[in-house]
């Protein structure tokens, strides 16, 4: 066993991994323009490192069916297949197999990066937009709440990727339109108010083990709502609060403590916000940038100190845009809209002009993306062992459904409690342990249970995703 661990450490040293965080600038730079100006769209980081941009609006009455891809290697956007329906206020969820589920309205569809096209999947039972969509540890997607022409929805549904269909998931404790949902480290889902209207004064938890929603503590401070919700590496959730209808800017933030299941105040923001974008960065800090009436200002939240600090300003004033953490640790800010003209002169004022521009945020500290090790430098055979043994999981000694295996690699942040996601043959595996390999400071170990339903084979792909970034793929044998 020690011989195998020593071999893995040699491979780890040759992988280019550096335990120190790479230093950068804390600034924004321009990148290529979108092929179509859009706001209220979605942006999803794919397993291949590109970002999928879907839908949105060109004007308040013109929703878009078009989609495009951002390639970080060239800094350019290019068209990909169109959706079957024009959408705004929809959701896009990366599935365990690398495809993307698009929901909103009554029609749902799947984007396949291999073909660059969209195809229909099962229909939602209820027409909805402005809903939440959360990937669960089971690989299913929780669709909750949303907006209709008559108000908010309390109903929820589960999308089952292998079956390609939606199933009822009970009702939330109250109707919610524009809520924020965050998957917690223990598999539950925190849902907080993100819009004025129903449910602004309450929050709730979805528990996949009981398939039920229950209320949780919520500090309704001056009737404010959640502007952003970001999972922290310590298992808590940072929420910045906004004044309803953006009647003013807020400096207030709270943290949801997953242990005590309650909210508590944290440091005040350096500059006021209303509906900015929030992004958990590779080092575990959180970027809060721009938004309605907040100008180009951006700031960083440090979970260790519980404080905010200013960082470089954005190049453009943006609202209703997307912010996507890329594999290299930078953040892609794409599209959105901003006011034009003088708001004191209604003959010149326009709200809001869609943008086709994009920019990149370069953090001051960047942690390397997750890496899965292989047995040799020229092979994809994973450095993966049958749990508790020195036997490599291979074509000649395959894993079986329900069996425990040990996966070795790097990229997990020290002291973090958020487990990675591990997909085996496109299905999420149950995480049994994640952290340092015992006795080896620079080596990570993740123990998982091989999921049922994996198609048997001698080169079944294994991939790990951590804080939104995917590792390389390695292979094992499964029978």
């Amino acid at each position: 066993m020690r011989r195998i661990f020593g071999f893995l450490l040699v491979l780890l040293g040759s992988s280019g991994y550096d335990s120190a965080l790479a230093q950068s600038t804390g600034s924004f730079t321009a990148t290529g323009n979108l092929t179509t100006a859009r706001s209220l769209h979605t942006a999803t980081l794919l397993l291949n490192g590109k970002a999928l941009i879907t839908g949105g609006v060109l004007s308040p009455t013109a929703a878009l069916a078009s989609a495009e891809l951002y390639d970080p290697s060239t800094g350019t956007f290019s068209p990909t297949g169109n959706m079957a329906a024009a959408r705004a206020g929809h959701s896009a969820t990366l599935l365990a197999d690398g495809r993307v589920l698009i929901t909103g309205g009554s029609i749902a569809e799947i984007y396949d990066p291999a073909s660059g096209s969209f195809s229909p999947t099962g229909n939602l039972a209820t027409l909805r937009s402005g809903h939440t969509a959360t990937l669960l540890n089971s690989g299913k997607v929780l669709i909750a709440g949303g907006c209709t022409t008559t108000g908010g929805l309390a109903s929820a549904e589960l999308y089952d990727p292998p079956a390609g269909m939606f199933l009822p998931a009970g009702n939330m404790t109250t109707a919610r339109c524009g809520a924020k949902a965050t998957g917690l480290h223990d598999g539950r889902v925190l849902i907080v108010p993100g819009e004025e209207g129903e449910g602004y004064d309450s929050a709730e938890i979805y528990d996949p083990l009981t398939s039920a929603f229950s209320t949780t503590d919520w500090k309704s401070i001056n009737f404010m709502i959640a502007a952003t919700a970001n999972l922290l590496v310590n298992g808590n959730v940072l929420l910045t609060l906004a004044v309803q209808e953006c009647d003013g800017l807020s400096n207030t933030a709270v943290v949801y403590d997953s242990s005590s299941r309650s909210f508590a105040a944290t440091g005040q923001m350096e500059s006021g916000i209303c509906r900015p974008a929030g992004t958990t960065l590779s080092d575990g800090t959180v970027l809060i940038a721009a938004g309605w009436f907040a100008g180009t200002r951006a700031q960083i939240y440090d979970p260790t100190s519980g404080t905010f600090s200013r960082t470089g300003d954005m190049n453009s004033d943006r609202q209703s845009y997307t912010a996507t953490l890329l594999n290299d640790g930078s953040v892609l800010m794409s599209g959105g809209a901003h006011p034009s003209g003088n708001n004191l002169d209604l003959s010149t004022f326009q709200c809001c002009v869609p943008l086709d521009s994009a920019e990149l945020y370069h953090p001051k500290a960047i942690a390397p993306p997750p890496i899965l090790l292989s047995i040799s430098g020229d092979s994809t055979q994973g450095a993966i062992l049958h749990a508790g043994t020195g036997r490599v999981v291979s074509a000649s000694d395959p894993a079986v459904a329900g069996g425990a295996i040990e996966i070795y690699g790097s990229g997990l942040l020290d002291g973090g409690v958020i487990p990675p996601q591990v997909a085996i043959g496109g299905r999420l595996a149950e995480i049994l342990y994640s952290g340092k390999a015992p006795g080896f400071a620079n080596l990570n170990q993740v123990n998982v249970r091989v999921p049922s339903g994996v198609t048997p084979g001698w080169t079944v792909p294994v991939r790990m995703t951590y804080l939104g970034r995917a590792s390389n793929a390695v292979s094992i044998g499964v029978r």
Side-chain angles (χ1 to χ4, degrees), residues 421-436:
Q421 294 174 329
V422 173
I424 301 176
R427 292 176 181 256
L428 285 186
E430 177 189 358
I431 304 295
L432 305 174
Y433 167 82
S434 65
K436 291 184 180 298

Side-chain angles (χ1 to χ4, degrees), residues 338-343 345 348-353:
H338 66 187
S340 175
N342 185 346
N343 60 2
D345 182 357
T348 64
F349 181 72
Q350 283 184 286
C351 186
C352 296
V353 178

Side-chain angles (χ1 to χ4, degrees), residues 135-327:
L135 182 67
L136 304 178
N137 289 345
S138 64
K140 295 179 180 179
V141 180
L142 174 68
I143 309 294
C147 318
T148 68
T149 55
T150 57
L153 293 168
S155 65
E157 310 180 41
L158 285 173
Y159 178 73
D160 184 354
M165 60 187 298
F166 291 87
L167 304 170
N171 288 341
M172 294 190 292
T173 61
T174 188
R176 300 183 187 277
C177 173
K180 307 290 184 186
T182 307
L184 302 177
H185 71 285
D186 60 5
R188 299 174 303 137
V189 180
L190 172 68
I191 301 174
V192 298
E195 291 282 352
E196 50 273 355
E198 303 111 318
Y200 75 88
D201 57 353
S202 67
E204 53 194 293
I205 292 285
Y206 174 76
D207 189 340
L209 297 180
T210 61
S211 301
F213 295 87
S214 59
T215 56
T216 189
D217 172 56
W218 171 250
K219 294 284 191 283
S220 182
I221 304 172
N222 296 327
F223 307 104
M224 288 192 287
I225 54 180
T228 62
N230 291 91
L231 183 64
L232 304 175
V233 295
N234 61 12
N236 298 334
V237 181
L238 170 70
L239 299 109
T240 63
L241 301 185
V243 178
Q244 294 191 42
E245 298 183 353
C246 286
D247 288 336
L249 297 180
S250 165
N251 292 80
T252 304
V254 297
V255 168
Y256 177 76
D257 187 320
S258 59
S259 298
S260 64
R261 302 190 179 188
S262 62
F263 295 86
T266 189
Q268 284 206 329
M269 286 180 278
E270 283 288 319
S271 56
I273 56 93
C274 189
R275 301 182 185 179
T279 312
T280 301
L281 302 178
S282 65
D283 67 345
T285 59
V286 181
L287 170 68
I288 305 294
W292 289 75
F293 312 117
T296 58
R297 289 168 290 186
Q299 52 197 306
I300 298 290
Y301 178 76
D302 183 348
T304 303
S305 62
T307 59
F308 291 85
S309 60
R310 286 289 301 273
T311 188
D313 288 346
M314 295 181 68
N315 293 329
S316 298
D317 175 3
R318 298 176 191 272
Q319 54 203 34
S320 303
Y321 69 99
T322 58
T324 312
L325 180 67
L326 302 177
N327 280 343

Side-chain angles (χ1 to χ4, degrees), residues 307-405:
T307 59
F308 291 85
S309 60
R310 286 289 301 273
T311 188
D313 288 346
M314 295 181 68
N315 293 329
S316 298
D317 175 3
R318 298 176 191 272
Q319 54 203 34
S320 303
Y321 69 99
T322 58
T324 312
L325 180 67
L326 302 177
N327 280 343
D328 66 359
S330 63
V331 182
L332 172 67
M333 315 295 204
S334 65
H338 66 187
S340 175
N342 185 346
N343 60 2
L344 299 179
D345 182 357
L346 296 182
S347 65
T348 64
F349 181 72
Q350 283 184 286
C351 186
C352 296
V353 178
L355 298 169
D356 64 1
S357 65
E359 52 190 291
L360 294 171
Y361 176 69
H362 306 278
K364 292 182 179 179
I366 297 175
I371 296 172
L372 293 184
L373 300 181
S374 58
I375 290 299
S376 65
D378 58 357
S379 170
T380 61
Q381 167 63 60
I384 299 173
L385 307 180
H386 293 278
T389 76
R391 293 162 31 221
V392 174
V393 181
S394 63
S396 60
D397 191 2
V400 297
I405 59 176

